[in-house]
């Protein structure tokens, strides 16, 4: 008679108390056990638009390469998988004298196996490609080193995911989606990008935003991504430049000392300017960058620099603000070639403009000089 499978995995483990609420465990799992207890938390959005998960999509070639190595004759696999364990996992300390000054405790970790239709008790924070490769390799009894911390909160899992991958080449779009959802103190290089990332998300979801549904995000399904025409990295760069430069139109709404941003005022300014852009250039708005360089990275960033100049003289709370912004943008419309023609001063056809520092400087310079010269002529 076949014995029923145990309801838990029992594993010798070391517990390290780094955080009073989130103990850290060091132990091993076999390749077959890893994905039995751990899920990959893919980044996506629910029907209400709230962000779910945090992991990038599977990189099939990378997974295949790791699996081929694991199928070799002599395999050394020291890279540990980092898991976030649910609080359902129980640690039982072994009795006996301690051999260190309380730095770590030995014991047995009880990890419950999930029942059919129920969530797994762990999530992979770092090592998803390695975990998928282990699931595909021939040797399913291969022992895998695991570091795990107890955390039911997705917020903490995202925080650790960003920190672990801070020096790795994570897709920039994925980082910009995750940053607004992390509430803990971030490294300085990530903290300065949090406000632009949050504003990018606002522009893509706000019903009054001309960008609504047009910004491509890592969490979108294929159908939604196909209708999105602007990369989130271009929008984030435009916002970050304006927020961080003293000459930026968004700079006055950011408190550098406290790190706080007046999002209500920033939202009003952004909607005023970019709604006017859409209205003044309707033939170029909402098209793929292959058909409109206005929606291209170079176009978004160059218009962002023009925004800094135009909005400096506009009272965003004034009743005539929308008409004034449209009037200012109309000044440059005759020289713009977003969808056809030739940019005379740059010596480039409309579709030759690329998202490079040189072309961005050229395009920004052309727009700003044309705007300032037109104002001088009329004044």
């Amino acid at each position: 008679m076949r014995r029923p499978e145990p309801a838990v995995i029992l594993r010798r483990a070391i517990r390290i108390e780094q955080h009073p609420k989130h103990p850290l465990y060091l132990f091993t799992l076999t390749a077959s056990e890893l994905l039995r207890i751990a899920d990959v938390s893919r980044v996506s959005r629910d029907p209400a638009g709230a962000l779910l998960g945090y992991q990038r999509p599977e990189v099939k070639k990378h997974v295949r390469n790791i699996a081929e190595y694991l199928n070799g004759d002599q395999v050394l696999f020291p890279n540990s998988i980092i898991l976030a364990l649910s609080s359902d996992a129980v640690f039982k300390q072994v009795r006996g004298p301690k051999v260190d000054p309380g730095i770590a405790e030995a014991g047995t970790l009880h990890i419950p196996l999930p029942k059919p239709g129920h969530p797994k008790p762990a999530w992979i924070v770092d090592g998803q490609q390695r975990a998928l490769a282990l699931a595909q390799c021939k040797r399913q009894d291969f022992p895998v080193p695991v570091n795990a911390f107890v955390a039911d909160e997705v917020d903490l899992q995202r925080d650790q995911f960003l920190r672990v991958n801070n020096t790795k080449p994570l897709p920039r779009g994925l980082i910009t989606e995750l940053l607004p959802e992390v509430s803990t103190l971030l490294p300085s290089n990530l903290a300065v990008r949090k406000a632009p990332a949050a504003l990018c998300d606002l522009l893509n979801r706000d019903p009054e935003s001309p960008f609504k549904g047009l910004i491509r995000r890592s969490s979108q399904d294929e159908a939604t991504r196909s209708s999105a025409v602007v990369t989130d990295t271009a929008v984030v760069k435009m916002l970050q430049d304006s927020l961080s430069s003293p000459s930026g139109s968004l700079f006055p709404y950011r408190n550098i000392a406290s790190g706080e941003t007046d999002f209500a005022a920033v939202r009003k300014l952004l909607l005023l300017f970019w709604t006017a852009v859409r209205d003044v250039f309707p033939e170029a708005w909402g098209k793929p960058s292959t058909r409109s360089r206005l929606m291209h990275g170079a176009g978004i960033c160059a218009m962002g620099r023009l925004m800094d100049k135009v909005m400096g003289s506009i009272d965003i709370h004034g009743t005539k603000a929308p008409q004034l912004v449209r009037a200012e943008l109309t000044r440059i419309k005759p020289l713009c070639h977003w969808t056809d023609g030739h940019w005379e001063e740059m010596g480039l056809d409309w579709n030759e403009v690329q998202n490079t520092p040189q072309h961005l400087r050229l395009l920004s310079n052309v727009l700003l000089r044309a705007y300032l010269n037109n104002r001088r002529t009329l004044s």
Side-chain angles (χ1 to χ4, degrees):
M1 185 175 177
R2 187 177 179 184
R3 289 184 179 181
E5 289 192 9
V8 298
I9 291 177
L10 302 179
R11 204 50 36 98
R12 288 291 187 184
I14 300 294
R15 179 170 68 182
I16 301 173
E17 295 288 350
Q18 293 181 337
H19 190 288
K21 295 182 180 179
H22 305 285
L24 176 67
Y25 299 111
L26 311 181
F27 58 100
T28 60
L29 290 171
T30 65
S32 63
E33 290 171 334
L34 185 57
L35 288 185
R36 285 183 70 194
I37 69 160
D39 258 333
V40 175
S41 185
R42 299 286 186 209
V43 65
S44 60
R45 290 190 181 271
D46 66 15
L51 188 67
L52 305 172
Y54 44 86
Q55 288 277 12
R56 60 183 140 186
E58 173 187 345
V59 183
K60 292 183 179 179
K61 183 178 180 181
H62 186 41
V63 171
R64 187 169 59 250
N65 290 341
I66 298 173
E68 289 174 357
Y69 169 72
L70 291 169
N71 288 331
D73 296 329
Q74 297 182 345
V75 179
L76 181 64
F77 196 80
N79 305 70
S80 62
I81 306 293
I82 299 180
L83 301 181
L85 276 175
S86 82
S87 53
D88 293 334
V90 177
F91 179 81
K92 294 184 179 180
Q93 184 181 352
V94 296
R95 296 179 180 179
K98 295 183 178 180
V99 295
D100 60 38
I103 295 174
E105 297 174 334
T108 303
L109 190 61
H110 298 238
I111 307 172
L113 289 170
K115 296 177 181 178
H118 288 71
K120 296 178 182 180
W123 300 266
I124 297 173
V125 173
D126 184 56
Q128 63 149 329
Q129 315 294 349
R130 280 169 276 149
L132 294 170
L134 284 160
Q136 297 175 17
C137 76
K138 297 175 182 177
R139 186 181 165 188
Q140 287 298 290
D141 62 346
F142 189 82
V144 183
V146 175
N147 293 349
F149 59 92
V150 175
D152 294 305
E153 311 95 324
V154 175
D155 185 45
L156 178 61
Q157 295 168 25
R158 288 186 182 128
D159 171 75
Q160 289 299 312
F161 175 71
L162 285 172
R163 290 178 189 279
V164 167
N165 291 280
N166 190 20
T167 58
K168 298 180 182 180
L170 273 180
R172 285 183 296 172
L174 177 58
I175 293 177
T176 63
E177 279 208 82
L178 296 179
L179 281 175
E181 308 294 330
V182 176
S183 58
T184 52
L185 186 65
L186 289 165
S188 57
N189 65 321
L190 292 178
V192 296
R193 296 160 65 180
K194 188 170 181 177
L199 288 166
C200 177
D201 189 52
L202 181 150
L203 287 173
N204 199 42
R205 297 170 61 188
D206 193 320
E208 297 181 36
S209 168
F211 283 106
K212 186 177 188 310
L214 295 181
I215 302 174
R216 199 174 303 123
R217 315 303 313 269
S218 296
S219 62
Q220 294 168 337
D221 55 39
E222 288 189 20
T224 306
R225 284 175 65 86
S226 65
S227 62
V229 295
V230 184
T231 63
D232 52 5
T233 50
V235 176
V236 167
K237 177 174 172 32
M238 176 269 294
L239 294 167
Q240 191 167 352
D241 287 349
S242 187
L243 282 166
S244 59
S245 171
S247 61
S249 58
L250 303 181
F251 185 81
Y253 302 105
R254 182 183 174 205
N255 187 326
I256 297 177
S258 66
E260 296 178 351
T261 302
D262 183 351
F263 282 98
V266 169
R267 172 187 177 274
K268 192 172 188 66
L269 187 151
L270 289 170
L271 295 190
L272 271 172
F273 180 80
W274 289 101
T275 299
V277 173
R278 180 196 63 190
D279 294 346
V280 173
F281 301 102
E283 74 288 348
W285 190 261
K287 294 182 178 179
S289 60
T290 53
R291 295 170 53 200
S292 170
R293 281 310 197 245
L294 176 60
M295 312 309 288
H296 190 268
I300 293 293
C301 290
M303 288 298 287
R305 293 179 183 179
L306 181 65
M307 173 184 76
D308 293 337
K309 185 64 67 177
V310 170
M311 300 307 290
S313 60
I314 300 289
D315 175 10
I316 63 173
H317 302 292
T319 56
K320 295 185 178 180
Q323 301 95 300
L324 292 174
V325 179
R326 283 196 296 270
E328 295 294 279
L329 290 177
T330 303
R331 300 174 188 273
I332 65 162
K333 180 165 184 172
L335 68 89
C336 291
H337 300 281
W338 300 121
T339 60
D340 57 27
H342 186 79
W343 294 86
E344 294 293 340
E345 293 195 45
M346 291 193 291
L348 296 171
D349 287 339
W350 74 273
N351 57 356
E352 291 178 332
V353 177
Q354 302 299 323
N355 192 18
T356 63
Q358 180 186 13
H359 282 193
L360 176 55
R361 282 195 303 271
L362 285 171
L363 182 57
S364 301
N365 185 257
V366 167
L367 295 177
L368 288 168
R369 283 193 299 108
Y371 172 70
L372 292 174
N373 288 339
N374 187 282
R375 289 200 75 184
R376 250 185 247 115
T377 303
L378 297 176
S379 60

